[in-house]
């Protein structure tokens, strides 16, 4: 069945998001920070929503957070994800700044054990030699 399964859709980095994907490839979760007013924002985008500056940089964050919300996907679902069902999709608020929320998959956890507020940490899934996705797992430290 997996031979007939279409490939997973992958991110297409652009000028605004390249720093995020480069950091993930090197095993770090990095957030974009405005160079003018220091406001952190996610998802990465060209302009600061607070001061409209186009200057920014990416800085690593702790990679720790809590589940703000989640959904567990069961078939029918997108064919590219069928082999991963049940697939836990979580919205994680970062310990560094709870205003920063990131969507990912939760690994190493039975779907029935997922709870709002659960402490998680980032992990990295190398999908291709070019693309590594930040994902999540229950916190171990
Ligand atoms: Zn700013």
């Amino acid at each position: 069945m997996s031979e007939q399964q279409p490939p997973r859709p992958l991110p297409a980095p652009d000028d605004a998001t390249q720093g995020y994907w480069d950091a993930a490839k090197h095993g770090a979760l990095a957030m974009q920070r405005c160079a003018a007013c220091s406001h952190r924002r996610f998802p990465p985008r060209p302009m600061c929503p607070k001061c409209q500056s186009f200057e920014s940089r990416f800085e690593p964050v702790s990679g720790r957070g809590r589940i703000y919300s989640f959904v567990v996907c069961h078939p029918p679902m997108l064919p590219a994800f069928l082999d991963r069902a049940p697939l836990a999709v979580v919205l994680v608020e970062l310990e560094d700044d709870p205003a920063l929320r990131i969507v990912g998959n939760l690994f190493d956890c039975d779907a029935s054990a997922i709870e709002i507020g659960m402490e998680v940490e980032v992990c990295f899934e190398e999908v291709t030699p070019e693309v590594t996705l930040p994902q999540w797992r229950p916190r171990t430290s």
Side-chain angles (χ1 to χ4, degrees), residues 83-118:
D83 65 344
R84 298 159 65 96
L87 177 64
V89 179
V90 294
L91 180 61
V92 173
E93 62 179 18
L94 295 185
E95 184 178 274
D96 306 80
D97 182 347
L100 297 173
R101 295 181 185 149
I102 303 177
V103 174
N105 298 140
L106 184 66
F107 293 162
D108 304 332
C109 184
D110 189 90
S112 65
I114 303 172
E115 296 179 349
I116 301 293
M118 181 180 204

Side-chain angles (χ1 to χ4, degrees), residues 16-34:
T17 63
Q18 190 68 55
Y20 177 78
W21 299 116
D22 286 348
K25 192 173 174 181
H26 292 96
L29 184 66
M31 291 292 109
Q32 189 179 29
R33 184 185 287 277
C34 176

Side-chain angles (χ1 to χ4, degrees), residues 33-39 41 47-53 55:
R33 184 185 287 277
C34 176
C37 76
S38 294
H39 175 71
R41 60 188 189 256
M47 189 177 75
C48 176
K50 296 286 185 194
C51 78
Q52 289 76 52
S53 170
E55 302 300 317

